[in-house]
């Protein structure tokens, strides 16, 4: 008798989450990310998870505006209304939800307590086939953007269709999602 086992968010999440207070500066947040080699921090106040600050937030909201990182608080740049998932939910459901919301990270919270974080990399490590859900959503978003005549092609996580390596940032070139190295090779071939 074959028993079907379901992979849950708890099975794939990273439980050691680096957190920061909203009162800390963007410089503090960047330092914590660098020291812990992570791309985001969960923002907690009074032990409650309430937001997330990412490398992209620091680049787009601080560096791009030439603001000194020590003069701006995490509260000013973080994404509020933290998107959460219960650790008992199925991993494929989480992957679809991330795809639908166009996000790469989910806070894992149970009864108001932060239990971990689930990233696209975590999903890839546990269940590579679910990465296709994330990549397919990126394709649909790109098609929507092209139809709307927008030239916004945000990088997406997934497996490079040229070299087969999992990368955080893939770009679409000639209908294929490829990593930076393969992109350069492909663009060189087009010249």
């Amino acid at each position: 008798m074959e028993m079907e086992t379901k992979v849950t968010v708890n099975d794939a999440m990273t439980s050691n989450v680096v957190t920061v207070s909203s009162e800390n500066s963007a410089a503090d947040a960047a330092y914590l990310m660098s020291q812990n080699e992570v791309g985001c921090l969960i923002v907690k106040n009074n032990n409650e998870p309430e937001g997330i600050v990412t490398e992209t937030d620091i680049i787009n909201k601080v560096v791009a505006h030439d603001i000194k990182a020590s003069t701006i608080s995490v509260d000013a740049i973080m994404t509020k209304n933290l998107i959460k998932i219960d650790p008992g939910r199925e991993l494929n459901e989480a992957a679809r939800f991330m795809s639908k919301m166009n996000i790469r990270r989910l806070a894992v919270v149970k009864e108001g307590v932060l239990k971990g974080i689930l990233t696209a990399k975590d999903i890839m490590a546990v269940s590579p086939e679910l990465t296709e859900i994330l990549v397919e959503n990126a394709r649909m978003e790109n098609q929507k953007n092209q139809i709307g005549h927008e030239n916004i092609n945000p990088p997406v996580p997934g497996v490079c269709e040229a070299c087969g390596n999992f990368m955080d940032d893939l770009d679409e070139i000639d209908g294929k999602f490829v990593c930076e190295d393969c992109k350069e090779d492909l663009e060189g071939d087009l010249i």
Side-chain angles (χ1 to χ4, degrees):
M1 175 195 299
E2 191 174 316
M3 192 173 182
E4 186 178 323
T5 59
K6 296 187 179 181
V7 180
T8 65
V9 168
N10 190 67
D11 298 327
M13 72 180 190
T14 301
S15 56
N16 188 14
V17 182
V18 184
T19 63
V20 67
S21 166
S22 63
E23 296 170 1
N24 284 98
S25 71
D28 295 333
Y31 179 79
L32 279 171
M33 285 183 210
S34 174
Q35 290 299 302
N36 292 283
E37 297 180 354
V38 295
C40 71
L41 304 170
I42 298 294
V43 182
K44 285 175 75 175
N45 282 324
N46 301 323
N47 284 332
E48 294 272 333
E50 63 178 38
I52 188 169
V53 63
T54 67
E55 294 168 318
T56 303
D57 291 328
I58 293 171
I59 291 168
N60 291 342
K61 298 173 183 174
V62 180
V63 177
H65 295 283
D66 199 22
I67 297 171
K68 188 172 181 182
S70 61
T71 65
I72 189 165
S73 70
V74 168
D75 185 64
I77 63 169
M78 73 182 207
T79 301
K80 296 173 172 79
N81 301 322
L82 184 63
I83 300 174
K84 308 168 195 163
I85 193 162
D86 187 272
R89 300 302 279 267
E90 289 184 33
L91 192 58
N92 64 355
E93 182 183 351
R96 283 187 178 85
F97 182 65
M98 290 168 74
S99 177
K100 180 180 176 188
M101 299 299 292
N102 198 26
I103 57 175
R104 294 185 295 167
R105 302 167 181 101
L106 274 174
V108 182
V109 177
K110 185 167 183 93
E111 297 173 6
V113 178
L114 181 65
K115 297 294 184 180
I117 189 163
L118 181 69
T119 68
K121 271 187 180 179
D122 295 330
I123 292 171
M124 177 60 181
V126 173
S127 190
E129 65 275 4
L130 291 179
T131 304
E132 285 304 311
I133 294 170
L134 299 171
V135 171
E136 192 56 39
N137 183 65
R139 279 199 176 104
M140 290 186 297
E141 283 297 315
N142 276 343
Q143 288 173 349
K144 249 196 281 184
N145 288 340
Q146 289 171 355
I147 291 169
H149 302 293
E150 295 176 19
N151 290 328
I152 300 170
N153 290 319
V156 296
V159 177
C160 174
E161 294 182 66
C163 68
N165 292 325
F166 179 81
M167 304 299 272
D168 276 332
D169 299 319
L170 298 177
D171 290 311
E172 187 177 13
I173 303 292
D174 292 335
K176 286 185 174 182
F177 281 87
V178 296
C179 66
E180 189 66 33
D181 291 339
C182 294
K183 176 183 173 184
E184 289 172 8
D185 291 344
L186 288 172
E187 288 176 337
D189 292 343
L190 295 175
I191 296 175

